[in-house]
Every structure is written in C-alpha cells, then in structure tokens.
Amino acid sequence: MKWTDDRGGNVDDRRGSGGNGGMVVGGGLGTLIIAAIIFFLGGDPSGILNSGSIQSSGNGQQRELTAEEQKIGEMVDMMGKWNIVTWNQIFKENGMTYTKPGIVLFEETTQSGCGTAQSAMGPFYCPADQKIYMDMSFFNELQQRFGAKVTEFTVAYVLAHEVGHHVQTLLGTTQKVDQLRRSGRYPEAEMNRVSVATELQADFYAGVWAKRTNDTKGILEPGDIQSAIDAAQAVGDDNIQKRSQGYVNQESFTHGSSAQRKEWFMKGYNTGDIRQGDTFNQLLK
C-alpha cells in the first residue's frame, strides 16, 4: 500500500494514556468470546457492552508510545483522511452531505458512547457518538487466531468496513435495523439475516471505497486487494464457527459466510457504485 501525505485530523489516540480502568464487559471469558465473534468488524456493540460489567485488571500507568506505535497512528490518520475525501465525493455526487466519523485508538479498555469498550470486542463502530473504536492489538488476533495475513491494507479494509457502518448511520439504515430489532416482532433467525445484510453492505461499501480511493490516489499495490479478501474471508461466520465450535450453523450467522464477504467486497470494488449495494433486497427476499 502506498502512503500519501494526507492526514484527517479525526483520530483520538488514547494509547499510552494508562487506559480508562475500571469497567470491562460481561460475565467472564465466555461473554468476551461471544462478543468477539458477534461483533468483530461489526456494528453497534451496545447490547453486549451494556449487559453487565466486571472490574478490569489494568494498572492505569501511562507510557510513551513507541516509534512503531506512532507510525501506526500516522497510518490510521492517513486512512481516515482517504475515507473522508472519498465519501465526501460520493455523497456529493448523490446530492447528500457527508459528516466524518471520529476514530479512537485505544488499548485494553476505553469509554465509548455505547458503553465501555475493550480489546476483545475487535474494531467496532458506535452509532451513539459516531466514532470508530480500534485496539490495534486485535490485528494480531486476526492473524494468529483466524488465519489472515495482516498487511497495512488489511487495516485499511477493516477501517473502511467500520466507516461503512457510519455511512449506514448517515443514510438511516442503522436506525431502521435497530427499530426492527427493538420491535420484538421478528424471531432471532430472521434478525440474524438482517444482521448479515447489514454487515455485507458494510463490506460492499469498503469495496467501493477501495475502488474510488485508488482511482484518485493510486494507493493500491500488488496483493493489497487479496489481503482485504483474506481478512474478510477469515472472519466469515462459517470460518469462525468451524474454528470455535467445529461445525457450522447457518441460521446463527450474523456477518455472512466467507464467500459472501468476498462477493460483496468485490462487488463494491468492481462497480465503485454505492447504488449497487442493496444487500437487503438481495438477501431478504
């Protein structure tokens, strides 16, 4: 991936601040694993985040960021700017106004508008404060536990997926899905299908972003798109279920299969057209 001099200025880097201590989610390791599986590369995590709490073991000590950590912060800031520029243009083309999300880098735990966030959640987007939360150490988990080779463009894909959830919030999609969930009128299996459509649309938006950004800035190098595909496939529900429980239950899918995640990312990349991403109409017939 080629670097540019772009910087978005919308990154709140909380690493090295000693953490925010105190609260982490849930009722132990089981909850953390469920949270990681359900919400990795996902949407609003408030249901798990606010379901309960236990005390963190963090010591709250502050430290200086290493040179490598500072470079990672610069990289995410650059990627943030790429998303701002590209989505500004796409929204303008469609007669709309884009509002950039915030990006929070943290380690272990931090506070979000959706509750207390912690690293086991993986990267997520919080609609309540319109911010993306990323503990960069989770990319080690992506490589070691889920089998994806992590590159700089892997990080770009993950960030673009979360920005895709922000786009859904700006377009009202997130709110409609939340209304369906809160209504209680639909069985769990049906809401899982809605969740899959939501996540695959975010993958589609990530593909659109990759295409449009490369067209204007020439950021892609050989292997970059494949690394995004590898990451998308690694966190397909079927792959995660095989690794975690040894079998696949399609009715419990919340993010889509590895094949679906690749399909919709590539559809976004090949078309570069936000209007081609109606996953709900395609998947919920």
Side-chain angles (χ1 to χ4, degrees):
M1 185 189 77
K2 298 178 181 177
W3 284 47
T4 69
D5 293 330
D6 298 281
R7 299 293 183 271
N10 60 328
V11 175
D12 176 8
D13 196 341
R14 302 177 187 175
R15 298 172 300 165
S17 63
N20 290 276
M23 312 299 286
V24 298
V25 302
L29 182 60
T31 301
L32 300 187
I33 293 174
I34 292 171
I37 292 174
I38 292 177
F39 293 108
F40 180 67
L41 298 182
D44 181 1
S46 57
I48 294 292
L49 285 169
N50 293 321
S51 63
S53 62
I54 58 176
Q55 293 298 309
S56 167
S57 60
N59 56 24
Q61 293 181 349
Q62 295 187 359
R63 63 175 182 82
E64 293 291 329
L65 296 181
T66 66
E68 182 179 0
E69 288 172 327
Q70 292 175 20
K71 183 178 180 181
I72 289 172
E74 287 288 307
M75 180 180 70
V76 173
D77 199 7
M78 174 182 67
M79 295 172 179
K81 180 63 173 181
W82 291 347
N83 276 276
I84 293 170
V85 171
T86 295
W87 285 109
N88 269 335
Q89 183 59 38
I90 293 173
F91 270 57
K92 183 178 179 180
E93 291 170 0
N94 289 276
M96 300 178 292
T97 301
Y98 180 72
T99 304
K100 65 183 179 182
I103 302 172
V104 178
L105 299 181
F106 72 100
E107 50 191 4
E108 296 187 5
T109 66
T110 195
Q111 292 298 319
S112 80
C114 295
T116 303
Q118 50 85 37
S119 58
M121 295 296 296
F124 69 87
Y125 171 74
C126 174
D129 58 14
Q130 297 193 4
K131 292 181 180 180
I132 295 161
Y133 291 82
M134 300 176 69
D135 183 332
M136 303 304 292
S137 68
F138 201 81
F139 288 96
N140 294 329
E141 185 87 353
L142 177 61
Q143 181 163 289
Q144 296 170 8
R145 182 177 176 187
F146 297 109
K149 180 181 179 181
V150 173
T151 68
E152 291 179 345
F153 198 75
T154 304
V155 180
Y157 156 69
V158 171
L159 180 61
H161 176 101
E162 301 307 334
V163 173
H165 286 305
H166 178 62
V167 170
Q168 290 173 323
T169 296
L170 296 182
L171 297 179
T173 306
T174 304
Q175 295 85 333
K176 291 177 182 177
V177 170
D178 189 53
Q179 288 173 1
L180 289 178
R181 183 178 294 109
R182 292 177 183 275
S183 72
R185 292 180 294 172
Y186 301 94
E188 182 180 357
E190 190 67 20
M191 286 310 304
N192 285 345
R193 293 178 65 210
V194 173
S195 177
V196 167
T198 304
E199 296 301 327
L200 293 180
Q201 187 176 69
D203 277 333
F204 171 84
Y205 289 157
V208 170
W209 168 82
K211 168 66 173 176
R212 296 290 299 268
T213 303
N214 189 55
D215 285 348
T216 58
K217 295 188 176 294
I219 62 171
L220 293 178
E221 294 182 315
D224 283 343
I225 291 300
Q226 186 60 50
S227 71
I229 292 172
D230 289 346
Q233 291 181 317
V235 292
D237 285 318
D238 49 347
N239 186 49
I240 290 176
Q241 288 183 358
K242 285 177 184 177
R243 289 174 178 269
S244 63
Q245 63 190 24
Y247 64 92
V248 174
N249 177 9
Q250 190 169 346
E251 284 194 357
S252 67
F253 283 7
T254 57
H255 287 65
S257 68
S258 296
Q260 286 177 312
R261 300 201 71 163
K262 174 184 177 180
E263 174 190 355
W264 282 98
F265 173 81
M266 288 307 301
K267 184 175 182 179
Y269 179 73
N270 288 329
T271 66
D273 183 1
I274 190 176
R275 295 169 296 181
Q276 303 299 314
D278 188 356
T279 54
F280 297 91
N281 185 54
Q282 292 287 319
L283 299 171
L284 302 179
K285 292 180 179 179

